[in-house]
Amino acid sequence: MKKLQAPRGTLDVLPPDARRRLELVGIAGDVLGRAGYEPMDTPVFEDTELFARGVGESTDIVQKEMFTFEDKAGRSLTLRPEQTAGICRAYIEHGMHKLPQPVKVWSAGPFFRHEAPQAGRFRQFTQIDAEALGSDDPSLDAELILLLAQIFQRIGTGPTRLRLSSLGTPATRADYLEELTHFLRAREDQLSDDVRARLDQNPLRAFDADHAGTRAVMKEAPLLIDRISADDADHFGQVRALLDTAGMDYELDPTLVRGLDYYTRTVFEFESERLGAQAALGGGGRYDGLIEELGGQPTPGVGWAAGVERMLLAAGDEPPAPRARVFIAIVKPDAARDAFVLARRLREAGLRVESEQAGRSMKGQLKQADRIGAFATVILGDGIEVKDMETGDQREAASLDDVVDMVREATPA
Ligand code: HAM
């Protein structure tokens, strides 16, 4: 029979890792909640056109990496490769422009990209995503960057490097892309085949190239940051001033290329030196044209997403096992019902309780109590005994009711 395995590029998340993920999401929710970000969710699959229009036809994500399928009615659907397009679609669909602006939301969940799996890169991965829609105030850009840095700090991802740039508006970008394309055309013979083949589609990719000839050409290439409008330069200046005020270190990187087409103005990416080739912990930026592109009113937006698997990789260290506080041992099988009732009662009293559920011998049960870190074991035999696992003292209880108090007494402060 064929051995069944999780599909390539996917992960089974076992305990205690799954608990750690929940803790991480809890930390993110706490940090974001304090700044007014509310949880929000959108479907895991969407109309394929949403991503084609939102993320951009020329991106690697849309061209190569989407899990696209037809439903039974022949509609083309795609497993979401990212969150921003879905949030913007929902913002339009539910008339969220009528709410007080900005609308600040965050989410956590699975995303899908058909990439070659490697350390830190999966086909199903988890993102925490935060977005602020409906305002172009530069303090939102700075706030979001600082919140992400705070999440990294609380999770313990270690040192991160923040790269920052501004892409300006679509108009200045288009002019710049034309200038860059001309520049590259004039030096075509020195470029890699790859870059040359996609020159008209996405000349910016040339900044990413490893090819020596291309790199030499790019050293002389015009930079977008020198071509953005005075308004955009001013906006960027305000974002930077706020980051400076907050003491946030960053590197200006005018060649910062993000793999999604919707960005305008601020873009940023956090990297960790603890990660290998897939060093990006999280990134994002402003997308002031996206909602309009998707059929809504012109509405600015800014946000980021961070990879949960990568954050956990960078943070290292296994979490300590949860301490089950009380174990209920069963000497005779007919005590199983009492054990069941007692476990419920102790849990209702606020204790963490496990009882014997695998038919172990008495010796095996006491070993199990140790293994789960119980401080007290209730032994249900002819009578009821409560054993303090720390001191080894064993006392008799008059009734099941008594047990709750006795266990409470044995509770470590
Ligand atoms: P992104 O840079 O494509 O941005 O992804 C954000 C983060 O998701 C990455 O930095 C990385 O940590 C994680 N990630 C992406 N792909 C994978 C993968 N195949 N395996 C593991 N982790 C991965 C976005 O998705 C934008 N929607 C961010 C954004 C929100 N911009 C504005 N708002």
Side-chain angles (χ1 to χ4, degrees):
M1 205 190 286
K2 182 181 155 198
K3 199 167 120 204
L4 293 172
Q5 287 183 322
R8 193 166 144 70
T10 67
L11 284 175
D12 291 315
V13 187
L14 310 179
D17 289 347
R19 181 164 51 84
R20 209 160 160 241
R21 284 172 170 250
L22 284 179
E23 283 164 7
L24 191 157
V25 173
I27 289 171
D30 179 50
V31 170
L32 291 163
R34 287 176 203 219
Y37 291 76
E38 281 283 313
M40 167 162 174
D41 266 323
T42 62
V44 167
F45 57 85
E46 296 263 7
D47 192 325
T48 301
E49 196 185 330
L50 171 66
F51 303 115
R53 264 161 66 186
V55 174
E57 289 282 6
S58 75
T59 59
D60 277 354
I61 293 179
V62 171
Q63 290 212 336
K64 301 191 252 180
E65 296 169 2
M66 298 208 298
F67 284 91
T68 297
F69 59 98
E70 267 190 14
D71 72 3
K72 291 187 173 159
R75 284 176 285 250
S76 179
L77 298 171
T78 293
L79 296 182
R80 60 184 187 183
E82 64 98 53
Q83 179 70 85
T84 315
I87 298 255
C88 290
R89 195 245 333 118
Y91 179 93
I92 301 167
E93 188 168 332
H94 302 285
M96 291 171 82
H97 63 281
K98 292 189 211 118
L99 301 173
Q101 308 291 304
V103 172
K104 293 176 161 187
V105 293
W106 75 277
S107 71
F111 294 86
F112 306 85
R113 295 183 194 176
H114 199 285
E115 299 190 79
Q118 62 177 85
R121 188 161 75 191
F122 309 98
R123 290 184 174 171
Q124 177 177 334
F125 56 97
T126 316
Q127 277 186 351
I128 294 174
D129 179 280
E131 314 284 353
L133 302 145
S135 166
D136 65 0
D137 195 303
S139 69
L140 287 168
D141 309 43
E143 170 182 284
L144 276 159
I145 290 172
L146 293 166
L147 289 169
L148 184 51
Q150 198 187 339
I151 291 170
F152 292 150
Q153 199 219 333
R154 278 196 42 194
I155 291 165
T157 55
T160 54
R161 187 167 82 106
L162 169 60
R163 294 190 296 144
L164 183 69
S165 191
S166 174
L167 300 181
T169 47
T172 50
R173 200 172 171 198
D175 290 347
Y176 166 75
L177 288 179
E178 201 173 307
E179 180 186 352
L180 180 64
T181 310
H182 270 109
F183 172 88
L184 293 172
R185 279 260 174 266
R187 293 156 185 82
E188 214 167 332
D189 53 331
Q190 300 167 58
L191 303 174
S192 71
D193 293 347
D194 217 32
V195 168
R196 211 178 318 133
R198 300 191 48 195
L199 220 163
D200 289 315
Q201 264 188 330
N202 195 354
L204 283 173
R205 300 307 295 236
F207 285 110
D208 267 354
D210 288 329
H211 178 254
T214 309
R215 289 182 78 98
V217 169
M218 296 323 284
K219 281 210 179 100
E220 309 296 321
L223 295 174
L224 177 56
I225 191 86
D226 298 323
R227 301 288 189 269
I228 64 176
S229 71
D231 257 10
D232 292 343
D234 178 56
H235 189 274
F236 192 46
Q238 292 186 55
V239 174
R240 291 180 55 190
L242 289 168
L243 293 176
D244 292 339
T245 305
M248 179 81 216
D249 285 336
Y250 56 84
E251 290 165 34
L252 284 183
D253 183 349
T255 67
L256 179 58
V257 175
R258 306 256 316 124
L260 306 104
D261 272 358
Y262 48 62
Y263 291 113
T264 55
R265 294 188 158 175
T266 316
V267 282
F268 59 91
E269 203 156 86
F270 281 92
E271 285 182 358
S272 163
E273 56 196 44
R274 290 188 186 168
L275 299 176
Q278 301 305 314
L281 274 177
R286 199 161 258 296
Y287 45 89
D288 292 346
L290 178 57
I291 291 184
E292 194 177 3
E293 175 69 36
L294 297 175
Q297 297 300 314
T299 309
V302 56
W304 50 250
V308 169
E309 291 79 11
R310 290 189 195 171
M311 286 190 268
L312 291 173
L313 269 173
D317 288 337
E318 288 298 303
R323 311 288 286 179
R325 316 304 288 178
V326 181
F327 186 77
I328 303 174
I330 302 167
V331 181
K332 285 192 203 145
D334 57 9
R337 229 176 108 146
D338 280 349
F340 192 80
V341 171
L342 182 61
R344 263 172 62 91
R345 238 186 251 178
L346 290 169
R347 285 172 194 151
E348 275 162 17
L351 290 152
R352 192 192 279 265
V353 184
E354 287 179 43
S355 62
E356 177 55 27
Q357 290 173 309
R360 268 178 279 256
S361 69
M362 196 57 213
K363 199 173 146 207
Q365 293 186 49
L366 288 175
K367 213 164 144 192
Q368 176 66 4
D370 268 339
R371 219 181 274 136
I372 65 171
F375 67 85
T377 299
V378 182
I379 302 164
L380 299 180
D382 290 331
I384 308 168
E385 308 253 338
V386 178
K387 180 174 176 163
D388 185 321
M389 300 299 280
E390 197 86 334
T391 62
D393 287 350
Q394 201 158 315
R395 290 198 300 150
E396 183 142 4
S399 68
L400 288 183
D401 289 331
D402 264 8
V403 173
V404 179
D405 290 335
M406 288 173 70
V407 164
R408 277 233 176 94
E409 276 163 31
T411 310

